Amino acid sequence: MPNWLLPENIADVLPSEARKIEELRRQVLDHFRLYGYELVMPPMLEYLESLLTGAGQDTDLRTFKLVDQLSGRTMGIRADMTTQVARIDAHLLNRTSVTRLCYAGSVLQTRPSGLHATREPLQIGAEIYGHAGLEADAEIQQLALASLHLAGFKKVRLDLCHVGVLQAIIAGDAKAVRQAPQLFALLQAKDIPELNAISVDFAPVTRNALLALPGLYGDVTILDKARAILPALPGIAEALDELQILVEQAADADVIIDLADLRGYHYHSGVMFAAYVPGLPNAVARGGRYDHVGEAFGRARPATGFSMDLRELARLMPGAARKPAVRAPWSTEPGLRQKIIELREAGEIVIQSLPGHDNDLDEFDCDRAVVCHNGNWIIQNLG
């Protein structure tokens, strides 16, 4: 195998693409700051028990594991940064007030999360800790949509779901509770035949509600249909009311309700959402409420947030225009050196041509040059 080949779903990022990603990262983080979010930088490696606390089985399967040569303990390379940020809130900051945190960094996953997805996403996200009300969920949803608009995606589809609907349906049926993991998987796959088979011994009201969930998919009118079909349980009514409010807060996004889309059910504890844009089959942003993760770190703390992959977003964005630049000759002449310093301090890109070489650049368009005229170094337009 040639030494330059990389593993599957792992790729280098070349100059023009790297610039798009980095500029988008800066724009999004600056936008988060306008909302009052503070930047944190968790480590790439942690002891496995800390990294996977409250994260669920699928995160365990996606995590690369290795042995620490100093301690002999098993460590993991982060596959997701959300639980790391929850640990920072719970144990390092230890605030009692509402805390808004954001982050950006690479994660590494044993398997790609979707079609054509990389196993090394550049994850960026924001989290709110300390407020259990729907106001925090609405802010996170607004921030996710605003971030996508900032990246140039004006047409966004927002899929909404709520773990509380299924939790309320099965809560009063012990047999259904024991089968909860299988039920979540079957509902997510919308596997009605298997769902029908597994629920044969459930209470009739539970069974009928479970079989109705895969069909509760569509626009906002699905909420009224769900109220009419599902049992009149307080937990269901509360969950549907919360979804109704979030639909109204979704601005110009195309909202879809899918009460069976329970991806990440073991991790989330309330509202869940996924954002899609034209040209990509995978969700570009995912988020929701995950109150129990803080409890897993020994400090019960309401939490909601979202994350997205900057590499996938940048791949869909149009190519960046080449930056205007100034070409300068190589010389140790003091006047030239001073001229270059002045230009760079003024924000100009100045590229010195090394002796014997031409400039072959993807990123820059040298439309001007520094030339010597009557003993003075001046800028000359290149026609």
Side-chain angles (χ1 to χ4, degrees), residues 113-128:
S113 59
L115 187 65
H116 305 307
T118 176
R119 289 195 289 163
E120 190 189 4
L122 180 54
Q123 189 179 41
I124 191 167
E127 319 290 331
I128 298 179

Side-chain angles (χ1 to χ4, degrees), residues 299-354:
R299 183 171 178 242
R301 188 104 154 119
T304 183
F306 86 99
S307 65
M308 55 189 186
D309 179 10
L310 287 178
R311 292 180 71 165
E312 285 219 308
L313 285 178
R315 187 160 58 88
L316 294 175
M317 294 167 63
R322 297 172 74 194
K323 294 284 188 181
V326 179
R327 188 172 63 222
W330 175 258
S331 172
T332 58
E333 203 278 322
L336 174 61
R337 295 176 63 186
Q338 183 59 36
K339 184 66 175 179
I340 291 174
I341 290 172
E342 290 173 358
L343 287 170
R344 287 173 174 161
E345 287 179 346
E348 292 282 2
I349 298 169
V350 182
I351 302 171
Q352 283 190 280
S353 298
L354 298 178

Side-chain angles (χ1 to χ4, degrees), residues 74-373:
T74 303
M75 301 181 74
I77 301 173
R78 65 187 182 202
D80 181 82
M81 295 175 72
T82 311
T83 55
Q84 292 185 298
V85 180
R87 173 182 55 77
I88 289 173
D89 171 73
H91 284 298
L92 298 181
L93 296 179
N94 202 27
R95 298 171 180 169
T96 57
S97 61
V98 170
T99 301
R100 291 175 171 87
L101 300 177
C102 63
Y103 54 89
S106 292
V107 298
L108 194 63
Q109 300 171 348
T110 56
R111 294 179 178 273
S113 59
L115 187 65
H116 305 307
T118 176
R119 289 195 289 163
E120 190 189 4
L122 180 54
Q123 189 179 41
I124 191 167
E127 319 290 331
I128 298 179
Y129 300 97
H131 185 71
L134 194 64
E135 298 85 357
D137 298 282
E139 179 176 315
I140 285 295
Q141 177 181 289
Q142 177 191 7
L143 189 59
L145 293 174
S147 299
L148 292 175
H149 290 165
L150 193 67
F153 299 103
K154 304 304 180 185
K155 186 174 177 58
V156 178
R157 193 189 85 193
L158 186 69
D159 285 14
L160 289 173
C161 187
H162 201 300
V163 176
V165 174
L166 182 56
Q167 290 175 339
I169 289 173
I170 68 175
D173 191 322
K175 293 181 180 178
V177 171
R178 284 195 295 270
Q179 299 285 344
Q182 295 93 322
L183 290 173
F184 280 111
L186 293 174
L187 284 168
Q188 184 182 324
K190 292 183 168 53
D191 190 341
I192 296 177
E194 283 298 318
L195 195 61
N196 188 56
I198 199 175
S199 61
V200 167
D201 296 330
F202 295 177
V205 64
T206 304
R207 187 167 189 259
N208 292 337
L210 288 172
L211 293 175
L213 284 182
L216 294 174
Y217 170 86
D219 61 22
V220 65
T221 60
I222 287 298
L223 294 175
D224 291 331
K225 184 178 178 181
R227 291 186 180 96
I229 293 176
L230 298 179
L233 299 171
I236 293 177
E238 181 180 355
L240 296 177
D241 288 345
E242 289 186 355
L243 289 173
Q244 183 78 52
I245 293 171
L246 290 177
V247 169
E248 295 166 359
Q249 298 290 318
D252 56 350
D254 181 16
V255 179
I256 297 295
I257 306 295
D258 187 353
L259 296 185
D261 185 13
L262 296 163
R263 189 167 309 147
Y265 71 91
H266 54 274
Y267 179 75
H268 290 287
S269 59
V271 172
M272 298 186 295
F273 68 82
Y276 297 83
V277 296
L280 191 68
N282 313 316
V284 293
R286 288 192 177 277
R289 181 161 289 279
Y290 56 99
D291 293 344
H292 64 276
V293 172
E295 184 176 349
F297 283 110
R299 183 171 178 242
R301 188 104 154 119
T304 183
F306 86 99
S307 65
M308 55 189 186
D309 179 10
L310 287 178
R311 292 180 71 165
E312 285 219 308
L313 285 178
R315 187 160 58 88
L316 294 175
M317 294 167 63
R322 297 172 74 194
K323 294 284 188 181
V326 179
R327 188 172 63 222
W330 175 258
S331 172
T332 58
E333 203 278 322
L336 174 61
R337 295 176 63 186
Q338 183 59 36
K339 184 66 175 179
I340 291 174
I341 290 172
E342 290 173 358
L343 287 170
R344 287 173 174 161
E345 287 179 346
E348 292 282 2
I349 298 169
V350 182
I351 302 171
Q352 283 190 280
S353 298
L354 298 178
H357 296 276
D358 294 327
N359 289 322
D360 186 10
L361 305 168
D362 292 332
E363 286 285 290
F364 310 108
D365 176 19
C366 292
D367 58 353
R368 290 154 295 157
V370 178
V371 297
C372 187
H373 181 71

Side-chain angles (χ1 to χ4, degrees), residues 28-37 102 124-126 143 147 306:
V28 173
L29 286 177
D30 287 345
H31 190 69
F32 288 170
R33 192 165 183 82
L34 297 179
Y35 285 70
Y37 287 79
C102 63
I124 191 167
L143 189 59
S147 299
F306 86 99

Side-chain angles (χ1 to χ4, degrees), residues 10-86:
I10 299 290
D12 293 306
V13 182
L14 301 183
S16 58
E17 190 78 3
R19 180 161 66 89
K20 280 198 300 182
I21 293 171
E22 176 59 16
E23 289 181 353
L24 181 59
R25 184 190 70 86
R26 295 179 190 180
Q27 289 175 348
V28 173
L29 286 177
D30 287 345
H31 190 69
F32 288 170
R33 192 165 183 82
L34 297 179
Y35 285 70
Y37 287 79
E38 300 171 276
L39 181 65
V40 293
M41 296 180 179
M44 178 66 75
L45 281 169
E46 287 195 41
Y47 291 125
L48 197 62
E49 55 268 29
S50 170
L51 193 63
L52 298 182
T53 296
Q57 183 181 6
D58 67 335
T59 303
D60 186 6
L61 295 175
R62 289 188 299 141
T63 300
F64 279 98
K65 302 172 180 69
L66 55 116
V67 175
D68 181 11
Q69 297 298 308
L70 294 181
S71 67
R73 296 173 61 183
T74 303
M75 301 181 74
I77 301 173
R78 65 187 182 202
D80 181 82
M81 295 175 72
T82 311
T83 55
Q84 292 185 298
V85 180

